[in-house]
Structure formats: C-alpha cells, structure tokens
Amino acid sequence: MMPDLGRYAVEVMAAYIGSLVMLAGLVGWVWWRTLRTRRALEEIEARARRR
Amino acid sequence: MNAILIRDLRLAFRAGGGFGLGLGFFLILAVLVPLGVGPAPQVLAVIAPGILWVGALLACLLSLDRIFALDHEDGSLDLLATAPVPLEGVVAVKALAHWLVTGLPLVLAAPVLGVLLNLPAPAYGWLVLSLLLGTPALSVIGAFGAALTVGLKRGGLLMSLLVLPLYVPTLVFGAEVVTRGAAGLSIATPLALLAGITAGSAALLPFAAALALRINLR
Amino acid sequence: MTSPAKPASLWEYANPVRFMRLSDWLLPVTAVAAAVLTGIGLVWGFFFTPDDFRQGSTVKIVFLHVPAALMAINAWIMMLVASLIWLIRRHHVSALAAKAAAPVGAVMTVIALYTGAVWGQPIWGTWWVWDPRLTSFLILFLFYLGYIALWSAIEDADTAADLTAVLCLVGSVFALLSRYAAFFWTQGLHQGASLSLQPGTRMDWAYKAPLYIAMVGFGLIFVALLLAGTRAEIRARRMKALVARERMQG
C-alpha cells in the first residue's frame, strides 16, 4: 500500500505529517472557539431569559 | 500649520524631548556591529550599506511613539482634531517635524558612521542621497503606525510589529542604492523607486493616518 | 411575524442573524466537501502519482505547497475585500469575517513556507534561501502577525475593526511593494508558477488533476474555517453585548 518514496522518504513524510498537524491544529482551534463561545452564549442567554 | 511645526520642534529640542536619542542609538549600533562580526575591513565594507540602513530604520522607529502619544495624553490631540486645520495636514506636519528631529540628523551622521564601517569611498554620496530620499518615508509610515496605536497602553512594541513590515520596500531600495553605488553599478532604478515610495507615502499615508486618528479619538 | 422574505441581494447576508441561518447549513456542507476533496487530492497525490524524473518523490510535496500558498494569498485578498466592505458599508459580519480569516491565512503561509523548506533541503540543498518568492511569503507572514496583533490589542470591537481594516488596506499596498522589491532585490531559485502555460514547463495531467482537486479542497477548508470562525466571532460579539446589558441593568 505504502508507495516507495525512495531516498526522499523522510522529506515527503515530514512535509505531509507536519502540514496535516498544522491543519489539524487550526481546525481544532476554530472548533474549540466555536464550542466555547456557543456554551458561554447559551449560558448568558439562559440567564437573560430568567430575569 | 507653521505653529504646529515650530511647537513640535521646540518640544523635541527641550530637555527630555528626546532629540539625539535616535542619533545615539545609531552610533551605538554602528559600534556594536563590528564588535559582533569582527573587524575584517572587507567584511564590513560588504555589510556597511545594509547596517547603516537598518540602523537608520531602527533609530527612526525608536522615537515614533512620541509623534502622537504626548499630544494624546495631554489632550492637545483632541484640540488639533477639532481645530480648523485639516487633520491630514496636522499629520503631515508632525511627520515632517519627526523627520527634521530624527531623520535629518541620521542622514548627516551616516557618512561619519560609514567611516567606522569601512564603507567604500564611491558609496558615500549615494548613502547620503538615499537616506535623504528614504528617511522621509520612514517618518510618514511611522506616523501612520503611531496613529494606529495611539490609544493603546503598551503600543510601542505592537507599533514596531506593525511598522517594520511596512518599512521593507524602503529598506530594500535604499540599501540597494548604496550597495550598487559602492560597486559602481547603475543606481537609477532603485533610486527612482525609493523616491517614488517616499512621494507616494507622503502623499497618501497622511490620509490613512488621519483616518486612524479620527477612529482612535472617537 | 411571518417568515422573512427571500433575501433580495447578497447584502442581506451581512445581517448577522441571516448569516447565522445561512451558515447553519452551509458550514457542514463546505466542511464535508472540504474534507472529502482535500482527502482525495492528498491521497491521490501521495499514493498514486509517479515520481518526477528529477525531483523523485519530493514532487508529492507540491500537492500541499501550492494549495497552501494559493490560500495564503487569497486569504489576504479576502481580508482586503472584507475590510473595504466594512469601511464602506459598515456590515459587522464583514469585519468579523476578516478577523476570522487572518489566523487561517497565517497558518496557510506557515504551511507553504514549511513544505517549501522541507522540499528545498534535498532539491536545492538548503532549507532556506533569500529567494524573492520565499522572502515575500515571509513578509506576508509578518503582515498577518501585525494584523492579528492589532486585532487582539484593542478593546473596543468597532475601533478594532476600523483600525485593522485601515491597516489591511495600507498593508496590502506595502505587501505588493515588498513583493516587487523582493523580486528586484535578488534573483531566485524558485521556479515560476507551476501551472503556467509556458511550453516545456507544463505539468503533466497525472500531477495536475490531484493538484487541482487539492487546491479546491484547500479553498473549501478556508471557506469552512472562515464560516466557523465568523460564527464564533458573532457569538462572542453578542455575548459581549448581553454581558454589557446585564451590567447596565445592575
């Protein structure tokens, strides 16, 4: 399954893994912000309704 | 307008006004670089144009926050904003005052520091000319950066981060003029581009800076 | 209240409520499409492309490098357009979208620089050269940093939006000038645009097909992250307003 990357295997793997980690980090950060703001907003809106 | 210019100049030359600080910084940098890279004359001759330009740029950066910060603190900036003179003109005059206090001394001191850095003889004229044409752009761009960050408490470091990337074209073309001058190559293109950047910045950036000031004073 | 009429123009989506409603379904769609297309493009590129006769298997890095570089520039252009819309038409969504785009663009710039360095090490024999394209990307990264720093430094949301918009406009001009300056300043090692139509340098379809798919995939990643980020910013803004109102009521 794994293609033969020849003598540049380390570079190609490093490029793919590093880039995917960075993308995953970015997605994770946006996701985390989404969850955090949504939860906080729901809390505040619930508090506002109770008044 | 003239009154603002004279007032700014007088403030700068007064004790504690900061005149000469940039110059002192420029001198120290020109001393530190040979101490860091070693005294080999041929190495210094190669890097001298770049060091002198980077030094001028950093020395200019040091005093930028003075352009508006003091006036903002004592409220005179609000007065200037509501005064009958256009704010764009105020910005331009303040940038001019900054250049007269910081940029012009740097231009005059640069040849002396060129000696310390073993700048090749044919480059001196181009060094002075390129700084003379380029440093006004540094002041105007800096005034824009200062206008963006005028209301902030820790604006100084942020302003460096904002302003330094904007200095890139000026630095590249300015240092290129000197490097080419030192090598005896044609300097017409970078010199024209340098002058173009200064003219364009001086014409347009006061408007952007005044816009930023109005936003900050809202 | 009857259900709101069909929006007459694109501008209606500038209304935060409408934007939230639109992105409610648009975000999952683009997110799935982005994942699928990027997955196809990268898997195809990684597993099913032949080695180049000169670059060997490093040619596979192009499927990350080119899309990331493309989005690094496009993200800034999008921020420029959004900033202009904010300054001229005062649509809050526009300002918040520009804010949300900046970190995405910055990461894309880093990916482009990183993949370029990893590729350059075996092929050019160096991680980094002061090549005009590399240099202008590094400078672009500095502009992203400054933009993000200015956003986070200013308390008042509208002031921050205004000032960052002005910075984005001025920065765009200087970023272009810097790019020109970098090309003037040094001759590069970097090849010209890989997809240019010059004869002889044209890429084979075996590479082009996965590359185009990856480019669309990265574009959709940007759109999805932009939508998600803007939604988070809108929520954060609304939260601030509610908290302020609570304080007012005591």
PDB file of all heavy atoms in Angstrom, chain B residues 141 144 148 152 158 161-162 166 168-169 173 176 190 205 211 215-216 218, chain C residues 139 143 146 149-150 153-154 159 162-163 166-167 170 174 177-178 181 184-185:
ATOM      1  N   ILE B 141       5.484  56.776   7.224  1.00  0.00           N
ATOM      2  CA  ILE B 141       4.944  55.447   7.530  1.00  0.00           C
ATOM      3  C   ILE B 141       4.846  55.279   9.038  1.00  0.00           C
ATOM      4  O   ILE B 141       3.872  54.736   9.570  1.00  0.00           O
ATOM      5  CB  ILE B 141       5.836  54.356   6.911  1.00  0.00           C
ATOM      6  CG1 ILE B 141       5.816  54.448   5.387  1.00  0.00           C
ATOM      7  CG2 ILE B 141       5.374  52.972   7.331  1.00  0.00           C
ATOM      8  CD1 ILE B 141       6.870  53.585   4.715  1.00  0.00           C
ATOM      9  N   PHE B 144       1.892  56.913  10.483  1.00  0.00           N
ATOM     10  CA  PHE B 144       0.699  56.069  10.296  1.00  0.00           C
ATOM     11  C   PHE B 144       0.630  54.998  11.393  1.00  0.00           C
ATOM     12  O   PHE B 144      -0.421  54.798  12.010  1.00  0.00           O
ATOM     13  CB  PHE B 144       0.731  55.435   8.912  1.00  0.00           C
ATOM     14  CG  PHE B 144      -0.290  54.358   8.709  1.00  0.00           C
ATOM     15  CD1 PHE B 144      -1.642  54.663   8.706  1.00  0.00           C
ATOM     16  CD2 PHE B 144       0.098  53.042   8.537  1.00  0.00           C
ATOM     17  CE1 PHE B 144      -2.591  53.672   8.529  1.00  0.00           C
ATOM     18  CE2 PHE B 144      -0.850  52.045   8.365  1.00  0.00           C
ATOM     19  CZ  PHE B 144      -2.195  52.363   8.362  1.00  0.00           C
ATOM     20  N   LEU B 148      -2.188  54.510  14.384  1.00  0.00           N
ATOM     21  CA  LEU B 148      -2.964  53.287  14.622  1.00  0.00           C
ATOM     22  C   LEU B 148      -2.961  52.901  16.097  1.00  0.00           C
ATOM     23  O   LEU B 148      -3.952  52.402  16.616  1.00  0.00           O
ATOM     24  CB  LEU B 148      -2.374  52.123  13.818  1.00  0.00           C
ATOM     25  CG  LEU B 148      -2.768  51.950  12.365  1.00  0.00           C
ATOM     26  CD1 LEU B 148      -2.085  50.724  11.805  1.00  0.00           C
ATOM     27  CD2 LEU B 148      -4.273  51.820  12.206  1.00  0.00           C
ATOM     28  N   LEU B 152      -3.359  53.010  22.677  1.00  0.00           N
ATOM     29  CA  LEU B 152      -3.039  51.780  23.402  1.00  0.00           C
ATOM     30  C   LEU B 152      -2.012  52.027  24.492  1.00  0.00           C
ATOM     31  O   LEU B 152      -1.110  52.844  24.329  1.00  0.00           O
ATOM     32  CB  LEU B 152      -2.499  50.734  22.435  1.00  0.00           C
ATOM     33  CG  LEU B 152      -3.504  50.305  21.377  1.00  0.00           C
ATOM     34  CD1 LEU B 152      -2.841  49.398  20.368  1.00  0.00           C
ATOM     35  CD2 LEU B 152      -4.681  49.608  22.027  1.00  0.00           C
ATOM     36  N   LEU B 158       3.849  46.805  19.843  1.00  0.00           N
ATOM     37  CA  LEU B 158       2.906  46.496  18.773  1.00  0.00           C
ATOM     38  C   LEU B 158       3.201  47.356  17.550  1.00  0.00           C
ATOM     39  O   LEU B 158       3.182  46.875  16.414  1.00  0.00           O
ATOM     40  CB  LEU B 158       1.475  46.741  19.255  1.00  0.00           C
ATOM     41  CG  LEU B 158       0.390  46.577  18.198  1.00  0.00           C
ATOM     42  CD1 LEU B 158       0.280  45.130  17.778  1.00  0.00           C
ATOM     43  CD2 LEU B 158      -0.945  47.078  18.702  1.00  0.00           C
ATOM     44  N   LEU B 161       5.881  46.021  15.465  1.00  0.00           N
ATOM     45  CA  LEU B 161       5.417  44.870  14.695  1.00  0.00           C
ATOM     46  C   LEU B 161       4.622  45.329  13.475  1.00  0.00           C
ATOM     47  O   LEU B 161       4.686  44.721  12.400  1.00  0.00           O
ATOM     48  CB  LEU B 161       4.548  43.991  15.604  1.00  0.00           C
ATOM     49  CG  LEU B 161       4.163  42.616  15.069  1.00  0.00           C
ATOM     50  CD1 LEU B 161       5.398  41.806  14.788  1.00  0.00           C
ATOM     51  CD2 LEU B 161       3.282  41.897  16.068  1.00  0.00           C
ATOM     52  N   LEU B 162       3.870  46.431  13.628  1.00  0.00           N
ATOM     53  CA  LEU B 162       3.073  46.916  12.506  1.00  0.00           C
ATOM     54  C   LEU B 162       3.920  47.674  11.498  1.00  0.00           C
ATOM     55  O   LEU B 162       3.720  47.575  10.286  1.00  0.00           O
ATOM     56  CB  LEU B 162       1.955  47.838  13.007  1.00  0.00           C
ATOM     57  CG  LEU B 162       0.958  47.238  13.983  1.00  0.00           C
ATOM     58  CD1 LEU B 162      -0.098  48.267  14.358  1.00  0.00           C
ATOM     59  CD2 LEU B 162       0.297  46.024  13.374  1.00  0.00           C
ATOM     60  N   LEU B 166       6.122  47.398   7.014  1.00  0.00           N
ATOM     61  CA  LEU B 166       5.853  48.477   6.056  1.00  0.00           C
ATOM     62  C   LEU B 166       7.148  49.134   5.589  1.00  0.00           C
ATOM     63  O   LEU B 166       7.178  49.811   4.566  1.00  0.00           O
ATOM     64  CB  LEU B 166       4.940  49.528   6.683  1.00  0.00           C
ATOM     65  CG  LEU B 166       3.566  49.049   7.157  1.00  0.00           C
ATOM     66  CD1 LEU B 166       2.809  50.180   7.827  1.00  0.00           C
ATOM     67  CD2 LEU B 166       2.743  48.525   6.002  1.00  0.00           C
ATOM     68  N   VAL B 168       9.782  47.555   4.707  1.00  0.00           N
ATOM     69  CA  VAL B 168      10.562  46.656   3.846  1.00  0.00           C
ATOM     70  C   VAL B 168      10.929  47.273   2.487  1.00  0.00           C
ATOM     71  O   VAL B 168      12.112  47.283   2.119  1.00  0.00           O
ATOM     72  CB  VAL B 168       9.830  45.309   3.659  1.00  0.00           C
ATOM     73  CG1 VAL B 168      10.454  44.495   2.557  1.00  0.00           C
ATOM     74  CG2 VAL B 168       9.860  44.531   4.958  1.00  0.00           C
ATOM     75  N   PRO B 169       9.966  47.805   1.725  1.00  0.00           N
ATOM     76  CA  PRO B 169      10.351  48.322   0.401  1.00  0.00           C
ATOM     77  C   PRO B 169      11.382  49.445   0.490  1.00  0.00           C
ATOM     78  O   PRO B 169      12.356  49.461  -0.271  1.00  0.00           O
ATOM     79  CB  PRO B 169       9.037  48.828  -0.185  1.00  0.00           C
ATOM     80  CG  PRO B 169       7.962  48.199   0.603  1.00  0.00           C
ATOM     81  CD  PRO B 169       8.516  47.940   1.952  1.00  0.00           C
ATOM     82  N   PHE B 173      15.121  49.125  -1.298  1.00  0.00           N
ATOM     83  CA  PHE B 173      15.592  50.015  -2.353  1.00  0.00           C
ATOM     84  C   PHE B 173      16.683  50.952  -1.844  1.00  0.00           C
ATOM     85  O   PHE B 173      17.646  51.247  -2.557  1.00  0.00           O
ATOM     86  CB  PHE B 173      14.425  50.810  -2.938  1.00  0.00           C
ATOM     87  CG  PHE B 173      13.463  49.952  -3.695  1.00  0.00           C
ATOM     88  CD1 PHE B 173      12.115  49.964  -3.399  1.00  0.00           C
ATOM     89  CD2 PHE B 173      13.910  49.108  -4.697  1.00  0.00           C
ATOM     90  CE1 PHE B 173      11.225  49.151  -4.089  1.00  0.00           C
ATOM     91  CE2 PHE B 173      13.032  48.288  -5.392  1.00  0.00           C
ATOM     92  CZ  PHE B 173      11.683  48.317  -5.082  1.00  0.00           C
ATOM     93  N   GLU B 176      19.838  49.060  -1.527  1.00  0.00           N
ATOM     94  CA  GLU B 176      20.267  48.657  -2.863  1.00  0.00           C
ATOM     95  C   GLU B 176      20.997  49.805  -3.566  1.00  0.00           C
ATOM     96  O   GLU B 176      22.001  49.583  -4.261  1.00  0.00           O
ATOM     97  CB  GLU B 176      19.040  48.219  -3.672  1.00  0.00           C
ATOM     98  CG  GLU B 176      19.354  47.574  -4.996  1.00  0.00           C
ATOM     99  CD  GLU B 176      19.903  46.157  -4.863  1.00  0.00           C
ATOM    100  OE1 GLU B 176      19.741  45.564  -3.789  1.00  0.00           O
ATOM    101  OE2 GLU B 176      20.499  45.686  -5.836  1.00  0.00           O
ATOM    102  N   PRO B 190      16.746  51.755  -8.560  1.00  0.00           N
ATOM    103  CA  PRO B 190      16.354  51.749  -7.152  1.00  0.00           C
ATOM    104  C   PRO B 190      16.161  53.151  -6.589  1.00  0.00           C
ATOM    105  O   PRO B 190      15.277  53.357  -5.748  1.00  0.00           O
ATOM    106  CB  PRO B 190      17.509  51.027  -6.449  1.00  0.00           C
ATOM    107  CG  PRO B 190      18.625  50.996  -7.400  1.00  0.00           C
ATOM    108  CD  PRO B 190      18.032  51.059  -8.765  1.00  0.00           C
ATOM    109  N   LEU B 205      -0.294  58.523   2.760  1.00  0.00           N
ATOM    110  CA  LEU B 205      -0.405  57.992   4.116  1.00  0.00           C
ATOM    111  C   LEU B 205      -0.944  58.989   5.143  1.00  0.00           C
ATOM    112  O   LEU B 205      -1.595  58.561   6.087  1.00  0.00           O
ATOM    113  CB  LEU B 205       0.935  57.419   4.581  1.00  0.00           C
ATOM    114  CG  LEU B 205       1.154  55.974   4.137  1.00  0.00           C
ATOM    115  CD1 LEU B 205       2.473  55.453   4.661  1.00  0.00           C
ATOM    116  CD2 LEU B 205       0.026  55.081   4.615  1.00  0.00           C
ATOM    117  N   LEU B 211      -7.283  59.216   9.225  1.00  0.00           N
ATOM    118  CA  LEU B 211      -8.448  58.338   9.411  1.00  0.00           C
ATOM    119  C   LEU B 211      -8.284  57.518  10.691  1.00  0.00           C
ATOM    120  O   LEU B 211      -9.209  57.431  11.514  1.00  0.00           O
ATOM    121  CB  LEU B 211      -8.571  57.428   8.194  1.00  0.00           C
ATOM    122  CG  LEU B 211      -9.738  56.443   8.158  1.00  0.00           C
ATOM    123  CD1 LEU B 211     -11.048  57.198   8.215  1.00  0.00           C
ATOM    124  CD2 LEU B 211      -9.668  55.592   6.899  1.00  0.00           C
ATOM    125  N   ILE B 215     -10.549  57.614  14.155  1.00  0.00           N
ATOM    126  CA  ILE B 215     -11.160  56.418  14.754  1.00  0.00           C
ATOM    127  C   ILE B 215     -10.752  56.311  16.215  1.00  0.00           C
ATOM    128  O   ILE B 215     -11.567  56.023  17.085  1.00  0.00           O
ATOM    129  CB  ILE B 215     -10.729  55.165  13.967  1.00  0.00           C
ATOM    130  CG1 ILE B 215     -11.312  55.204  12.553  1.00  0.00           C
ATOM    131  CG2 ILE B 215     -11.167  53.901  14.677  1.00  0.00           C
ATOM    132  CD1 ILE B 215     -10.642  54.234  11.606  1.00  0.00           C
ATOM    133  N   ASN B 216      -9.473  56.562  16.484  1.00  0.00           N
ATOM    134  CA  ASN B 216      -8.978  56.412  17.850  1.00  0.00           C
ATOM    135  C   ASN B 216      -9.522  57.478  18.781  1.00  0.00           C
ATOM    136  O   ASN B 216      -9.625  57.259  19.988  1.00  0.00           O
ATOM    137  CB  ASN B 216      -7.449  56.463  17.858  1.00  0.00           C
ATOM    138  CG  ASN B 216      -6.859  55.078  17.816  1.00  0.00           C
ATOM    139  OD1 ASN B 216      -7.413  54.152  18.395  1.00  0.00           O
ATOM    140  ND2 ASN B 216      -5.772  54.915  17.110  1.00  0.00           N
ATOM    141  N   ARG B 218     -12.509  58.820  18.565  1.00  0.00           N
ATOM    142  CA  ARG B 218     -13.959  58.756  18.576  1.00  0.00           C
ATOM    143  C   ARG B 218     -14.487  58.585  19.995  1.00  0.00           C
ATOM    144  O   ARG B 218     -13.928  57.829  20.777  1.00  0.00           O
ATOM    145  CB  ARG B 218     -14.399  57.581  17.711  1.00  0.00           C
ATOM    146  CG  ARG B 218     -15.776  57.708  17.172  1.00  0.00           C
ATOM    147  CD  ARG B 218     -15.938  56.794  15.988  1.00  0.00           C
ATOM    148  NE  ARG B 218     -15.459  55.441  16.308  1.00  0.00           N
ATOM    149  CZ  ARG B 218     -15.213  54.536  15.365  1.00  0.00           C
ATOM    150  NH1 ARG B 218     -15.372  54.856  14.109  1.00  0.00           N
ATOM    151  NH2 ARG B 218     -14.794  53.337  15.689  1.00  0.00           N
TER     152      ARG B 218
ATOM    153  N   ILE C 139       7.437  37.915   4.428  1.00  0.00           N
ATOM    154  CA  ILE C 139       6.927  39.252   4.730  1.00  0.00           C
ATOM    155  C   ILE C 139       5.413  39.225   4.868  1.00  0.00           C
ATOM    156  O   ILE C 139       4.843  39.861   5.756  1.00  0.00           O
ATOM    157  CB  ILE C 139       7.389  40.243   3.653  1.00  0.00           C
ATOM    158  CG1 ILE C 139       8.908  40.387   3.716  1.00  0.00           C
ATOM    159  CG2 ILE C 139       6.733  41.593   3.832  1.00  0.00           C
ATOM    160  CD1 ILE C 139       9.513  41.070   2.534  1.00  0.00           C
ATOM    161  N   PHE C 143       2.995  40.456   7.955  1.00  0.00           N
ATOM    162  CA  PHE C 143       1.785  41.286   7.867  1.00  0.00           C
ATOM    163  C   PHE C 143       0.614  40.613   8.593  1.00  0.00           C
ATOM    164  O   PHE C 143      -0.162  41.281   9.291  1.00  0.00           O
ATOM    165  CB  PHE C 143       1.425  41.536   6.405  1.00  0.00           C
ATOM    166  CG  PHE C 143       2.178  42.694   5.808  1.00  0.00           C
ATOM    167  CD1 PHE C 143       3.219  42.498   4.921  1.00  0.00           C
ATOM    168  CD2 PHE C 143       1.834  43.991   6.150  1.00  0.00           C
ATOM    169  CE1 PHE C 143       3.902  43.560   4.389  1.00  0.00           C
ATOM    170  CE2 PHE C 143       2.522  45.060   5.604  1.00  0.00           C
ATOM    171  CZ  PHE C 143       3.562  44.843   4.728  1.00  0.00           C
ATOM    172  N   GLY C 146       1.126  41.155  12.335  1.00  0.00           N
ATOM    173  CA  GLY C 146       0.781  42.505  12.754  1.00  0.00           C
ATOM    174  C   GLY C 146      -0.720  42.706  12.790  1.00  0.00           C
ATOM    175  O   GLY C 146      -1.262  43.287  13.740  1.00  0.00           O
ATOM    176  N   ALA C 149      -2.150  40.870  15.715  1.00  0.00           N
ATOM    177  CA  ALA C 149      -1.759  41.538  16.964  1.00  0.00           C
ATOM    178  C   ALA C 149      -2.591  42.798  17.186  1.00  0.00           C
ATOM    179  O   ALA C 149      -3.017  43.077  18.312  1.00  0.00           O
ATOM    180  CB  ALA C 149      -0.276  41.889  16.923  1.00  0.00           C
ATOM    181  N   LEU C 150      -2.842  43.554  16.099  1.00  0.00           N
ATOM    182  CA  LEU C 150      -3.626  44.782  16.261  1.00  0.00           C
ATOM    183  C   LEU C 150      -5.057  44.445  16.678  1.00  0.00           C
ATOM    184  O   LEU C 150      -5.634  45.123  17.535  1.00  0.00           O
ATOM    185  CB  LEU C 150      -3.612  45.588  14.961  1.00  0.00           C
ATOM    186  CG  LEU C 150      -4.233  46.973  15.058  1.00  0.00           C
ATOM    187  CD1 LEU C 150      -3.496  47.822  16.074  1.00  0.00           C
ATOM    188  CD2 LEU C 150      -4.247  47.677  13.715  1.00  0.00           C
ATOM    189  N   ALA C 153      -5.132  43.667  20.335  1.00  0.00           N
ATOM    190  CA  ALA C 153      -4.649  44.689  21.268  1.00  0.00           C
ATOM    191  C   ALA C 153      -5.736  45.689  21.645  1.00  0.00           C
ATOM    192  O   ALA C 153      -5.616  46.365  22.656  1.00  0.00           O
ATOM    193  CB  ALA C 153      -3.460  45.427  20.666  1.00  0.00           C
ATOM    194  N   ILE C 154      -6.775  45.828  20.808  1.00  0.00           N
ATOM    195  CA  ILE C 154      -7.754  46.893  21.023  1.00  0.00           C
ATOM    196  C   ILE C 154      -9.020  46.337  21.658  1.00  0.00           C
ATOM    197  O   ILE C 154      -9.585  45.357  21.179  1.00  0.00           O
ATOM    198  CB  ILE C 154      -8.071  47.593  19.682  1.00  0.00           C
ATOM    199  CG1 ILE C 154      -6.783  48.118  19.068  1.00  0.00           C
ATOM    200  CG2 ILE C 154      -9.044  48.731  19.893  1.00  0.00           C
ATOM    201  CD1 ILE C 154      -6.940  48.581  17.658  1.00  0.00           C
ATOM    202  N   THR C 159     -13.767  49.942  17.066  1.00  0.00           N
ATOM    203  CA  THR C 159     -12.487  50.603  16.842  1.00  0.00           C
ATOM    204  C   THR C 159     -11.477  49.619  16.269  1.00  0.00           C
ATOM    205  O   THR C 159     -10.758  49.933  15.302  1.00  0.00           O
ATOM    206  CB  THR C 159     -11.944  51.179  18.166  1.00  0.00           C
ATOM    207  OG1 THR C 159     -12.955  51.969  18.764  1.00  0.00           O
ATOM    208  CG2 THR C 159     -10.715  52.008  17.936  1.00  0.00           C
ATOM    209  N   ASP C 162     -12.247  48.966  12.665  1.00  0.00           N
ATOM    210  CA  ASP C 162     -11.861  50.097  11.801  1.00  0.00           C
ATOM    211  C   ASP C 162     -10.358  50.142  11.581  1.00  0.00           C
ATOM    212  O   ASP C 162      -9.879  50.260  10.461  1.00  0.00           O
ATOM    213  CB  ASP C 162     -12.311  51.413  12.447  1.00  0.00           C
ATOM    214  CG  ASP C 162     -13.784  51.677  12.207  1.00  0.00           C
ATOM    215  OD1 ASP C 162     -14.279  51.219  11.168  1.00  0.00           O
ATOM    216  OD2 ASP C 162     -14.418  52.328  13.045  1.00  0.00           O
ATOM    217  N   LEU C 163      -9.618  50.070  12.696  1.00  0.00           N
ATOM    218  CA  LEU C 163      -8.164  50.231  12.588  1.00  0.00           C
ATOM    219  C   LEU C 163      -7.533  49.082  11.819  1.00  0.00           C
ATOM    220  O   LEU C 163      -6.647  49.284  10.993  1.00  0.00           O
ATOM    221  CB  LEU C 163      -7.543  50.350  13.982  1.00  0.00           C
ATOM    222  CG  LEU C 163      -7.873  51.644  14.714  1.00  0.00           C
ATOM    223  CD1 LEU C 163      -7.259  51.652  16.104  1.00  0.00           C
ATOM    224  CD2 LEU C 163      -7.400  52.861  13.946  1.00  0.00           C
ATOM    225  N   VAL C 166      -8.105  49.607   8.154  1.00  0.00           N
ATOM    226  CA  VAL C 166      -7.179  50.583   7.584  1.00  0.00           C
ATOM    227  C   VAL C 166      -5.794  49.953   7.406  1.00  0.00           C
ATOM    228  O   VAL C 166      -5.143  50.095   6.367  1.00  0.00           O
ATOM    229  CB  VAL C 166      -7.091  51.843   8.480  1.00  0.00           C
ATOM    230  CG1 VAL C 166      -6.030  52.788   7.973  1.00  0.00           C
ATOM    231  CG2 VAL C 166      -8.429  52.535   8.539  1.00  0.00           C
ATOM    232  N   LEU C 167      -5.364  49.201   8.435  1.00  0.00           N
ATOM    233  CA  LEU C 167      -4.058  48.539   8.338  1.00  0.00           C
ATOM    234  C   LEU C 167      -4.034  47.562   7.174  1.00  0.00           C
ATOM    235  O   LEU C 167      -3.037  47.463   6.441  1.00  0.00           O
ATOM    236  CB  LEU C 167      -3.751  47.803   9.644  1.00  0.00           C
ATOM    237  CG  LEU C 167      -2.449  46.993   9.617  1.00  0.00           C
ATOM    238  CD1 LEU C 167      -1.249  47.919   9.546  1.00  0.00           C
ATOM    239  CD2 LEU C 167      -2.333  46.083  10.813  1.00  0.00           C
ATOM    240  N   VAL C 170      -3.656  49.599   3.857  1.00  0.00           N
ATOM    241  CA  VAL C 170      -2.293  50.111   3.684  1.00  0.00           C
ATOM    242  C   VAL C 170      -1.314  48.949   3.541  1.00  0.00           C
ATOM    243  O   VAL C 170      -0.414  48.960   2.685  1.00  0.00           O
ATOM    244  CB  VAL C 170      -1.918  51.018   4.878  1.00  0.00           C
ATOM    245  CG1 VAL C 170      -0.470  51.442   4.800  1.00  0.00           C
ATOM    246  CG2 VAL C 170      -2.819  52.237   4.898  1.00  0.00           C
ATOM    247  N   PHE C 174       1.647  47.894   0.684  1.00  0.00           N
ATOM    248  CA  PHE C 174       3.054  47.682   1.018  1.00  0.00           C
ATOM    249  C   PHE C 174       3.473  46.233   0.817  1.00  0.00           C
ATOM    250  O   PHE C 174       4.635  45.957   0.493  1.00  0.00           O
ATOM    251  CB  PHE C 174       3.335  48.148   2.450  1.00  0.00           C
ATOM    252  CG  PHE C 174       3.567  49.628   2.533  1.00  0.00           C
ATOM    253  CD1 PHE C 174       2.508  50.503   2.678  1.00  0.00           C
ATOM    254  CD2 PHE C 174       4.843  50.141   2.427  1.00  0.00           C
ATOM    255  CE1 PHE C 174       2.713  51.863   2.718  1.00  0.00           C
ATOM    256  CE2 PHE C 174       5.060  51.507   2.471  1.00  0.00           C
ATOM    257  CZ  PHE C 174       3.991  52.367   2.611  1.00  0.00           C
ATOM    258  N   LEU C 177       4.267  46.126  -2.767  1.00  0.00           N
ATOM    259  CA  LEU C 177       5.554  46.796  -2.985  1.00  0.00           C
ATOM    260  C   LEU C 177       6.703  45.918  -2.520  1.00  0.00           C
ATOM    261  O   LEU C 177       7.737  45.828  -3.187  1.00  0.00           O
ATOM    262  CB  LEU C 177       5.588  48.116  -2.202  1.00  0.00           C
ATOM    263  CG  LEU C 177       4.904  49.317  -2.818  1.00  0.00           C
ATOM    264  CD1 LEU C 177       4.954  50.475  -1.834  1.00  0.00           C
ATOM    265  CD2 LEU C 177       5.598  49.707  -4.104  1.00  0.00           C
ATOM    266  N   SER C 178       6.511  45.255  -1.375  1.00  0.00           N
ATOM    267  CA  SER C 178       7.572  44.400  -0.842  1.00  0.00           C
ATOM    268  C   SER C 178       7.848  43.251  -1.790  1.00  0.00           C
ATOM    269  O   SER C 178       8.991  42.852  -1.987  1.00  0.00           O
ATOM    270  CB  SER C 178       7.168  43.841   0.523  1.00  0.00           C
ATOM    271  OG  SER C 178       6.821  44.871   1.391  1.00  0.00           O
ATOM    272  N   ALA C 181       9.765  44.612  -4.499  1.00  0.00           N
ATOM    273  CA  ALA C 181      11.116  44.897  -4.013  1.00  0.00           C
ATOM    274  C   ALA C 181      11.932  43.612  -3.907  1.00  0.00           C
ATOM    275  O   ALA C 181      13.104  43.571  -4.289  1.00  0.00           O
ATOM    276  CB  ALA C 181      11.050  45.592  -2.651  1.00  0.00           C
ATOM    277  N   PHE C 184      13.090  42.558  -7.165  1.00  0.00           N
ATOM    278  CA  PHE C 184      14.129  43.443  -7.656  1.00  0.00           C
ATOM    279  C   PHE C 184      15.462  43.137  -6.986  1.00  0.00           C
ATOM    280  O   PHE C 184      16.524  43.229  -7.578  1.00  0.00           O
ATOM    281  CB  PHE C 184      13.714  44.886  -7.349  1.00  0.00           C
ATOM    282  CG  PHE C 184      14.702  45.900  -7.819  1.00  0.00           C
ATOM    283  CD1 PHE C 184      14.694  46.322  -9.137  1.00  0.00           C
ATOM    284  CD2 PHE C 184      15.633  46.425  -6.953  1.00  0.00           C
ATOM    285  CE1 PHE C 184      15.599  47.240  -9.574  1.00  0.00           C
ATOM    286  CE2 PHE C 184      16.557  47.348  -7.387  1.00  0.00           C
ATOM    287  CZ  PHE C 184      16.535  47.750  -8.698  1.00  0.00           C
ATOM    288  N   TRP C 185      15.368  42.710  -5.723  1.00  0.00           N
ATOM    289  CA  TRP C 185      16.499  42.642  -4.812  1.00  0.00           C
ATOM    290  C   TRP C 185      17.373  41.431  -5.107  1.00  0.00           C
ATOM    291  O   TRP C 185      18.575  41.452  -4.932  1.00  0.00           O
ATOM    292  CB  TRP C 185      15.889  42.579  -3.410  1.00  0.00           C
ATOM    293  CG  TRP C 185      16.767  42.293  -2.260  1.00  0.00           C
ATOM    294  CD1 TRP C 185      17.791  43.055  -1.814  1.00  0.00           C
ATOM    295  CD2 TRP C 185      16.663  41.183  -1.379  1.00  0.00           C
ATOM    296  NE1 TRP C 185      18.323  42.477  -0.698  1.00  0.00           N
ATOM    297  CE2 TRP C 185      17.660  41.338  -0.416  1.00  0.00           C
ATOM    298  CE3 TRP C 185      15.814  40.088  -1.308  1.00  0.00           C
ATOM    299  CZ2 TRP C 185      17.836  40.429   0.606  1.00  0.00           C
ATOM    300  CZ3 TRP C 185      15.996  39.188  -0.291  1.00  0.00           C
ATOM    301  CH2 TRP C 185      16.999  39.360   0.655  1.00  0.00           C
TER     302      TRP C 185
END
